[in-house]
Amino acid sequence: MALSSARRTPLSDQVIGQLRAQITSGEWPVGSRIPTEAELVEQLGVARNTIREAVRALAHNGLLDIRQGSGTYVAATSELAGVMHRRFADAEPARVAELREALEASAAGLAARRSTARDLELLDVALRRREESWRSGGLEAFVQADAAFHQAVVAAAHNEVLAALYADLGEVLRAHLRQDIGPVLSDDRYVSHERIVEAIRRRDPETASAEAAAAIGKCPAKAR
């Protein structure tokens, strides 16, 4: 990773902007640990206090999570995403499942109407990676792959407002999936998404929406 040196004043604002860019661009994904304070000092060529001030500001806005003795981690991709995460951290799982159902069913129906050939290719790739990550047995890898699949469906809907909202709710939805699945992947909790892609490919909005809603409805959290 190469960050450009911050030379103009105020330095703290310059550093905040550069760190935020690393987060929003995906260079530092949600859940990843950012470089240490010493590494950032070397990369940016600014004082340690300036780095500390910038990190604290982004933590205050919800983008970073400072964990004493462990490091600083990316918590959200935007200030609004951070607010969403804090606001709904204690929401009932069943209510979050209902929100997922509403958004993902709507996105699937729109994708069946608007998806391009390229969108369908990306959906196939995302579906395959989701299935492979489940077989690998890693919870976090599957959570990220499942999120990437649903983001591909939302992207195929070609509604920038829906895409932005879904992105801002991303960590809320991923946290719900982690809780729903539990610490260990087990076959009885796997929900195939192949029928969603098939319905989108057939240009069948009603079935695509129904399959997306049914996939959420099969989650144990939704039934409670």
Side-chain angles (χ1 to χ4, degrees), residues 18 74 99 109-110 112 157 188:
Q18 292 187 68
V74 179
L99 174 63
L110 291 172
D188 63 322

Side-chain angles (χ1 to χ4, degrees), residues 16-29:
I16 288 170
Q18 292 187 68
L19 300 188
R20 181 186 284 110
Q22 295 300 117
I23 296 168
T24 58
S25 69
E27 186 72 19
W28 295 342

Side-chain angles (χ1 to χ4, degrees), residues 107-108 110-116 118-120 123 150-159 200 203:
L110 291 172
R113 296 184 178 93
R114 302 173 179 172
S115 58
T116 65
R118 178 58 177 163
D119 291 329
L120 294 173
L123 280 171
H150 289 292
Q151 287 166 355
V153 174
V154 172
H158 293 278
N159 181 317
I200 292 173
R203 305 292 182 189

Side-chain angles (χ1 to χ4, degrees), residues 43-100:
Q43 291 168 2
L44 294 174
V46 297
R48 186 178 293 266
N49 285 343
T50 303
I51 295 295
R52 192 170 298 150
E53 181 181 349
V55 168
R56 285 175 177 169
L58 291 173
H60 177 74
N61 289 343
L63 274 70
L64 295 177
D65 178 20
I66 301 172
R67 304 176 191 173
Q68 296 299 326
S70 177
T72 299
Y73 294 79
V74 179
T77 55
S78 70
E79 280 81 356
L80 181 56
V83 170
M84 292 286 199
H85 187 204
R86 292 193 301 272
R87 172 65 179 82
F88 298 114
D90 298 324
E92 293 182 29
R95 303 292 82 80
V96 178
E98 289 169 355
L99 174 63
R100 285 188 62 196

Side-chain angles (χ1 to χ4, degrees), residues 149-207:
F149 171 81
H150 289 292
Q151 287 166 355
V153 174
V154 172
H158 293 278
N159 181 317
E160 64 277 9
V161 178
L162 177 60
L165 177 61
Y166 196 85
D168 286 332
L169 284 165
E171 185 52 31
V172 175
L173 305 182
R174 286 189 292 271
H176 168 261
L177 183 60
R178 291 185 192 98
Q179 182 181 19
D180 184 54
I181 294 175
V184 179
L185 302 182
S186 58
D187 290 342
D188 63 322
R189 287 178 176 265
Y190 182 69
V191 180
S192 174
H193 286 3
E194 187 173 352
R195 290 184 178 180
I196 300 173
V197 177
E198 290 175 353
I200 292 173
R201 192 184 307 279
R202 292 198 311 268
R203 305 292 182 189
D204 185 343
E206 290 75 19
T207 301

